[in-house]
Amino acid sequence: MTHTKRVFGMLLAAVLFLAVTSTPAEIRGGRTATTVYVLVLSITEGPDPVVTWQPVWEWESGGGKPLNPGGDTRGDGRPDVAINPSTGWPLVSWAYWAGTDYDIAYAEWEGEDWSEIDFITSSIENQLDPRSHIDEAGRVRTVWWEDVQSGKLYLAIREPGETLWTTPQLIQQSGRRPSVVPDGDDLLVAFEEDGPRMTQKVGVLTLLAGGGSDAFTLATTDRTEPLDVAIHEAGGVFWAEWKHSHEFFAYSVRNAGGWSDPVMVPWTDHSWLGEEELRR
């Protein structure tokens, strides 16, 4: 059996196992000239996701080690996976439980093995939900939030050819659960934050390549639970989506004047699969 068939046989087996046991999972995979990798993340045993770390892969040259094998036992946060556009290799960031608080950890695939875990932060506060982007030149930008009153959004950058990260920079005085997407050299960051009178707001922050930022509020909602905002781009069209209420998802599309008014979409299936179906 060829190497490729072995690996994708593993992927098929994983999918069949998940189907039989009714445990949906997020599966990321890819292939480069020398590497085929499969990552099975976020295994669930019910309608709501329960994060676990389950890396699965093979490689042609042998060797290697699992990434963060103790993450599930330790209680680490959900991994965020980005792909290096130059190599096709994955890079992963996550909230790492350091014993008394969460710090932001980072690792990347180096062709035959995972790099050592690199810690972007070391703080007494909980640093959560990192989202990373890497450009063609190899510049990595990672955004996360700090779990203090009203939340705070931070950014750290690793420049091409460098091994050290910049000192974390406060980019938003209040904000939680960021999502990122590039716009040329700029970076769009969608997030949720506290609004007036027990409401929440959905915002988009544009981090300009030349420095500075622009902010735009997309919506205000009475929902008190997480909004789980996600921002996307396809074919030059940018949009953000979020849980607006118990009855509706909502989305907004960027236009020449900023962003459109929210469009409401009925939300009747509140399972994890129902949510994913709406987001597609």
Side-chain angles (χ1 to χ4, degrees):
M1 182 182 291
T2 67
H3 169 70
T4 301
K5 287 181 180 177
R6 281 201 307 272
V7 173
F8 285 95
M10 291 170 62
L11 175 58
L12 178 59
V15 172
L16 290 175
F17 171 77
L18 294 170
V20 169
T21 57
S22 299
T23 54
E26 175 184 343
I27 298 177
R28 299 287 191 102
R31 181 180 183 183
T32 70
T34 59
T35 305
V36 180
Y37 59 85
V38 178
L39 297 174
V40 181
L41 307 173
S42 305
I43 307 299
T44 71
E45 294 187 359
D48 298 316
V50 177
V51 177
T52 64
W53 285 77
Q54 296 289 341
V56 181
W57 62 81
E58 284 190 7
W59 45 86
E60 292 181 357
S61 57
K65 60 181 183 297
L67 172 61
N68 199 33
D72 184 36
T73 302
R74 189 170 49 248
D76 286 6
R78 175 178 178 149
D80 177 65
V81 182
I83 301 298
N84 186 325
S86 297
T87 64
W89 296 343
L91 52 92
V92 183
S93 55
W94 70 97
Y96 184 107
W97 178 246
T100 57
D101 62 85
Y102 284 96
D103 292 326
I104 302 303
Y106 174 91
E108 56 189 40
W109 184 253
E110 296 181 327
E112 296 183 355
D113 210 340
W114 290 102
S115 68
E116 294 298 322
I117 295 176
D118 189 12
F119 288 95
I120 302 175
T121 67
S122 178
S123 169
I124 62 173
E125 305 291 351
N126 286 326
Q127 316 285 323
L128 302 171
D129 300 322
R131 298 292 182 265
S132 296
H133 173 262
I134 181 170
D135 61 24
E136 293 279 356
R139 184 189 196 207
V140 185
R141 290 175 285 186
T142 299
V143 177
W144 66 93
W145 69 288
E146 185 174 86
D147 188 11
V148 294
Q149 186 175 9
S150 298
K152 292 183 178 182
L153 297 182
Y154 285 87
L155 165 74
I157 301 172
R158 195 188 67 184
E159 297 291 352
E162 298 292 331
T163 58
L164 298 179
W165 294 81
T166 62
T167 300
Q169 172 189 354
L170 178 65
I171 58 173
Q172 178 71 18
Q173 284 285 354
S174 63
R176 296 180 293 271
R177 301 178 185 88
S179 175
V180 303
V181 70
D183 179 15
D185 292 332
D186 298 339
L187 189 69
L188 303 184
V189 182
F191 59 94
E192 61 192 68
E193 64 175 328
D194 291 338
R197 297 182 297 278
M198 302 297 292
T199 61
Q200 292 192 88
K201 297 190 296 183
V202 178
V204 173
L205 185 69
T206 302
L207 302 179
L208 303 172
S213 61
D214 292 329
F216 199 97
T217 298
L218 304 187
T220 300
T221 172
D222 292 332
R223 179 181 170 89
T224 57
E225 298 171 274
L227 306 184
D228 295 328
V229 187
I231 191 166
H232 311 275
E233 182 274 335
V237 177
F238 292 83
W239 74 97
E241 65 197 22
W242 62 93
K243 300 172 181 176
H244 192 81
S245 69
H246 188 73
E247 294 81 19
F248 293 99
F249 255 74
Y251 69 89
S252 175
V253 180
R254 192 174 73 170
N255 53 38
W259 290 80
S260 70
D261 291 336
V263 177
M264 301 295 160
V265 180
W267 180 21
T268 56
D269 182 355
H270 290 78
S271 70
W272 179 71
L273 292 178
E275 179 182 331
E276 287 301 305
E277 197 66 33
L278 267 182
R279 288 188 183 275
R280 292 177 186 149

